[in-house]
Amino acid sequence: TGADMTFTTLTLPAVSTSAATSITTDSATLNGYLTSLGTATTVDVFFEYGTTTSYGSRTAAQAMTAAGVFSLNFTGLSPGTVYHFRAKADGGAHGIATGAGMTFTMRTMSPMVGTSPATSVTSNAATLNGYLTSLGTAITVNVSFEYGTTTGYGSTATAQVMTAPGVFSINLTGLSPGTTYHFRAKA
């Protein structure tokens, strides 16, 4: 008989996916945790990501020699988009581990609006003026005015739909003579 020999099977690395943080309109920080290197001495960690659970893209790998937290600040993302991602650990010949899939939603940019002075003021009417400086991430924006005899306003003019930045106005009638009105544009 031959001499007794032994071998030890390889142990896969272990990794978990943590929630994304610092989410803005175009960037997010992806987070993961390498819980074990398995039998590897160095493990490359990275994230797979995409707009579906097929992912389709991956980040650059970071080499780790000990268990611990890893993260990547990721930029160039699309506002308002839902992204799927998961952490992965590649131990080379020692195997590959995949964390659970998670999602995050990019923030949207709010529209930006300004208020201009009222014009064509008479005893019972006025034209309220405003300008839409940005649609934010929206394709269309409803613009209107809030108005009233206090800064609590109390009334809202009929909304108008805008598809591009620009000026807008509305003619108010039926106002009380000699009364001070407060107003502001709203988008």
Side-chain angles (χ1 to χ4, degrees):
T1 62
D4 181 48
M5 304 203 67
T6 65
F7 66 90
T8 304
T9 58
L10 300 176
T11 303
L12 296 174
V15 67
S16 62
T17 308
S18 302
T21 56
S22 303
I23 300 167
T24 67
T25 57
D26 67 350
S27 68
T29 300
L30 305 183
N31 300 293
Y33 186 76
L34 181 63
T35 55
S36 169
L37 277 73
T39 50
T41 55
T42 302
V43 172
D44 287 334
V45 294
F46 58 94
F47 298 95
E48 291 182 321
Y49 67 94
T51 56
T52 68
T53 54
S54 297
Y55 303 103
S57 299
R58 65 174 268 181
T59 64
Q62 306 172 46
M64 293 185 69
T65 57
V69 174
F70 60 97
S71 62
L72 175 74
N73 186 23
F74 195 50
T75 60
L77 302 173
S78 299
T81 302
V82 175
Y83 285 93
H84 298 261
F85 75 105
R86 64 184 177 187
K88 289 194 89 167
D90 185 348
H94 300 270
I96 297 174
T98 304
M102 298 186 86
T103 62
F104 64 94
T105 303
M106 300 306 299
R107 296 190 188 280
T108 57
M109 291 187 302
S110 298
M112 295 173 55
V113 66
T115 306
S116 299
T119 55
S120 303
V121 178
T122 67
S123 63
N124 64 354
T127 300
L128 306 184
N129 301 292
Y131 52 94
L132 180 66
T133 57
S134 170
L135 276 74
T137 51
I139 297 170
T140 62
V141 173
N142 293 326
V143 295
S144 63
F145 294 94
E146 294 180 325
Y147 66 96
T149 57
T150 69
T151 55
Y153 306 104
S155 298
T156 302
T158 303
Q160 303 171 38
V161 176
M162 294 185 71
T163 58
V167 297
F168 60 97
S169 61
I170 188 164
N171 295 320
L172 291 181
T173 58
L175 302 175
S176 299
T179 303
T180 300
Y181 286 90
H182 297 263
F183 73 101
R184 66 181 175 188
K186 180 178 177 181

